[in-house]
Amino acid sequence: MNDFTSSFWSWFIIVIVIASFAAIFWLIHWTTKGKPTKTAEGKVETMGHVWDGNLEEYNNPLPRWWLIMFYITLFFGVAYLVLYPGLGAFDGVLGWTQEKQYQEEIDRAEETYGAIYNKYLKEDIASLVNNKEAITIGERFFSTYCTTCHGSDARGVRGYPNLRDNDWLYGGSPEKIRETITNGRQGAMPAWEESLGHEGVFQVTQYVKSLSGREVDSVVAHKGKQIYEKNCAVCHGAEGKGNQQIGAPNLTDNIWLYGGSQKQISDSIAKGRTGVMPAHKEFLGEAKIHLLTAYVYGLSVDENIDE
């Protein structure tokens, strides 16, 4: 498959490639034909280049083996362009594509390892948490696909949730975790600076901080509460405990996805936030997601037991 918007560009590339190969063939043939030129004394003519006083460059043709290597390289290039994509829109005789090769490798892997993963599909997530072999497989999936965002210890970084603290934006049940991994999530916090103004943002920030029991200016926080009830309660709830149906975080637990300092909370309110969890349904498949869900679910279970 090619991305050309016009057949002109395909032919443009084809003509340049073929002309380049023809020119290289001609150049090699032209520069290597004939025999060495000799002087009247019967010596091979030099090119006039001298190094270190007595090291001269002779006008000799390339060694035969070297010349053959040039031709082999050129014929290899021609064969490659016949078999594989490279000549404009021509797909090659073999019809190779990177997508096709990727799918073939995935199919071979599924044929080899699919049975290992599929045998756990009938087991309940809660019971798999105690299955050492299943959790080990799930941990490997997590290390491969999830650590870039959530960290190798699954404790997250700013903007990416901690998966060990049992504080869930969309719910921490096995079903909800599997739903999140399968379909992904897209959260959005609108920007309020334009409608609230700098002072309004400051007042709401003070009130939000007070929800988690932190010391604030009570007069400012009271004004912020009025703004909160009018604009923020619809998502975060009247008491600030959030709404897992829409991914609105709990503001009373002092756990902050983007940081809990005065400035960080203020930035979240003023500028808004956008978070995306990619869907893994097509990429991983049901069996792998089942095992990955068990591992992630087990992280918060283990954390609660440790506490």
Side-chain angles (χ1 to χ4, degrees):
M1 182 179 293
N2 60 77
D3 300 323
F4 294 112
T5 56
S6 168
S7 60
F8 166 78
W9 295 111
S10 175
W11 283 106
F12 178 77
I13 293 174
I14 291 172
V15 170
I16 289 179
V17 171
I18 293 177
S20 298
F21 269 87
I24 295 171
F25 269 109
W26 173 83
L27 180 63
I28 293 176
H29 176 72
W30 179 71
T31 56
T32 56
K33 66 181 180 179
K35 297 181 179 180
T37 303
K38 296 185 177 181
T39 63
E41 293 80 13
K43 296 181 179 181
V44 177
E45 185 182 60
T46 65
M47 301 299 293
H49 304 148
V50 181
W51 294 271
D52 295 334
N54 57 7
L55 184 61
E56 297 181 280
E57 179 183 358
Y58 285 90
N59 187 20
N60 281 321
L62 286 174
R64 180 64 58 181
W65 67 267
W66 199 338
L67 179 61
I68 292 174
M69 288 296 292
F70 270 126
Y71 280 118
I72 289 175
T73 301
L74 288 171
F75 281 117
F76 175 84
V78 171
Y80 180 92
L81 291 174
V82 171
L83 297 174
Y84 295 95
L87 283 176
F90 178 59
D91 292 331
V93 174
L94 298 180
W96 178 92
T97 65
Q98 59 183 5
E99 292 85 359
K100 181 179 179 181
Q101 179 175 332
Y102 169 77
Q103 190 57 51
E104 288 174 350
E105 291 175 358
I106 291 296
D107 291 342
R108 285 197 298 270
E110 181 63 26
E111 183 178 346
T112 303
Y113 304 107
I116 299 175
Y117 310 140
N118 291 334
K119 70 180 182 179
Y120 297 108
L121 270 174
K122 295 181 180 180
E123 292 192 44
D124 182 74
I125 293 293
S127 63
L128 280 181
V129 170
N130 300 313
N131 187 316
K132 185 176 181 180
E133 181 181 356
I135 292 302
T136 298
I137 296 174
E139 183 178 15
R140 289 170 182 165
F141 289 151
F142 184 89
S143 298
T144 302
Y145 304 114
C146 311
T147 55
T148 301
C149 295
H150 295 283
S152 59
D153 60 356
R155 296 188 183 278
V157 293
R158 187 175 300 171
Y160 301 94
N162 181 347
L163 303 179
R164 290 182 176 271
D165 59 7
N166 206 32
D167 184 78
W168 301 91
L169 289 173
Y170 295 92
S173 68
E175 294 73 25
K176 282 296 181 180
I177 295 174
R178 177 164 44 213
E179 181 182 307
T180 297
I181 298 172
T182 301
N183 301 320
R185 301 289 187 183
Q186 184 160 355
M189 162 74 178
W192 291 95
E193 188 169 35
E194 184 175 345
S195 59
L196 299 183
H198 179 74
E199 186 63 25
V201 169
F202 176 71
Q203 292 168 352
V204 174
T205 300
Q206 287 289 289
Y207 176 67
V208 169
K209 288 176 64 178
S210 74
L211 291 174
S212 55
R214 299 161 72 180
E215 291 186 8
V216 297
D217 186 315
S218 59
V219 175
V220 176
H222 179 71
K223 294 179 180 179
K225 179 180 180 181
Q226 296 175 344
I227 299 174
Y228 176 91
E229 291 174 345
K230 181 179 179 181
N231 299 284
C232 313
V234 64
C235 291
H236 294 281
E239 298 179 353
K241 293 187 178 298
N243 184 346
Q244 292 184 344
Q245 295 300 315
I246 59 175
N250 182 350
L251 304 176
T252 66
D253 56 10
N254 207 27
I255 296 175
W256 306 92
L257 184 58
Y258 294 95
S261 69
Q262 173 75 26
K263 184 180 186 307
Q264 289 165 334
I265 297 174
S266 178
D267 284 345
S268 294
I269 297 171
K271 301 174 184 178
R273 301 288 187 182
T274 300
V276 177
M277 160 73 181
H280 287 74
K281 179 179 180 179
E282 300 299 329
F283 182 63
L284 292 181
E286 185 181 5
K288 292 180 181 178
I289 288 177
H290 191 69
L291 288 163
L292 183 55
T293 299
Y295 175 71
V296 173
Y297 176 69
L299 291 175
S300 58
V301 171
D302 291 341
E303 196 75 3
N304 290 336
I305 291 175
D306 292 341
E307 293 177 357

